[in-house]
Amino acid sequence: MSEQTAAPQTAAPTLAAEPVELWVERTGTRAYTGRNNRGGEVLIASQGVPGAFTPGELLKIALAGCTGLSADFTLSRRLGDNFDATVRVSGDADRENELYPELNESFELDMSELDEESRQRLLVAAQRAIDKVCTVGRTLKAGTVVNLSFTIDE
């Protein structure tokens, strides 16, 4: 008689990731298109240009997107795969110093199906996930060194 054992639980297979390449190309006066090597594109331009984001708006969108993605697994386990969520982000630029001194996020969720204790536990778990894995938020909070070099065609 043969003994059967359960197959070991393994994580979903991961494909060898191609290194991510990011760049922007000038497409007009004060207008660029941001690209990645997966075919993604985003229009970047001065404020007021229709269909484009300013660099500051992209920074804020990156933060909000990172927050949402970081909490998504935790939230979907309790709220189901089809939960609705919106992460809003705001913050005015300090134009004298050309920086954002403060960014404010608001994570909008429908948790009406949960009792108060369950809501609080879920919010703590979501915050923990965001604090642990939101690279954009962690980078902004910690600060980072930015190195710039120029490549000149002669």
Side-chain angles (χ1 to χ4, degrees):
M1 188 160 128
S2 69
E3 188 175 313
Q4 290 187 342
T5 59
Q9 295 292 328
T10 58
T14 56
L15 301 174
E18 185 178 331
V20 175
E21 294 180 35
L22 302 170
W23 69 96
V24 298
E25 295 174 352
R26 188 171 191 266
T27 53
T29 304
R30 296 194 43 81
Y32 287 75
T33 298
R35 303 185 194 302
N36 67 27
N37 58 330
R38 295 186 314 275
E41 292 186 350
V42 62
L43 302 179
I44 308 163
S46 298
Q47 189 169 359
V49 173
F53 290 95
T54 67
E57 290 168 340
L58 287 174
L59 174 74
K60 293 175 192 177
I61 292 282
L63 177 61
C66 189
T67 294
L69 288 169
S70 296
D72 201 78
F73 179 73
T74 299
L75 294 170
S76 67
R77 278 193 330 219
R78 187 65 178 92
L79 301 175
D81 286 336
N82 296 319
F83 73 94
D84 291 327
T86 301
V87 182
R88 298 186 190 279
V89 62
S90 62
D92 293 329
D94 171 351
R95 289 296 168 208
E96 185 175 316
N97 295 300
E98 287 300 329
L99 58 82
Y100 292 95
E102 181 176 57
L103 296 175
N104 301 295
E105 291 183 283
S106 174
F107 206 136
E108 300 170 5
L109 290 166
D110 179 0
M111 297 198 305
S112 59
E113 300 295 317
L114 302 178
D115 62 53
E116 184 60 30
E117 184 179 330
S118 296
R119 284 182 199 154
Q120 289 308 312
R121 279 196 317 266
L122 183 55
L123 291 175
V124 166
Q127 182 70 59
R128 211 175 281 137
I130 294 163
D131 290 344
K132 183 177 181 183
V133 300
C134 180
T135 305
V136 175
R138 292 172 58 86
T139 299
L140 289 171
K141 288 175 184 174
T144 192
V145 174
V146 177
N147 300 304
L148 172 66
S149 65
F150 290 89
T151 303
I152 308 299
D153 290 335
E154 293 186 34

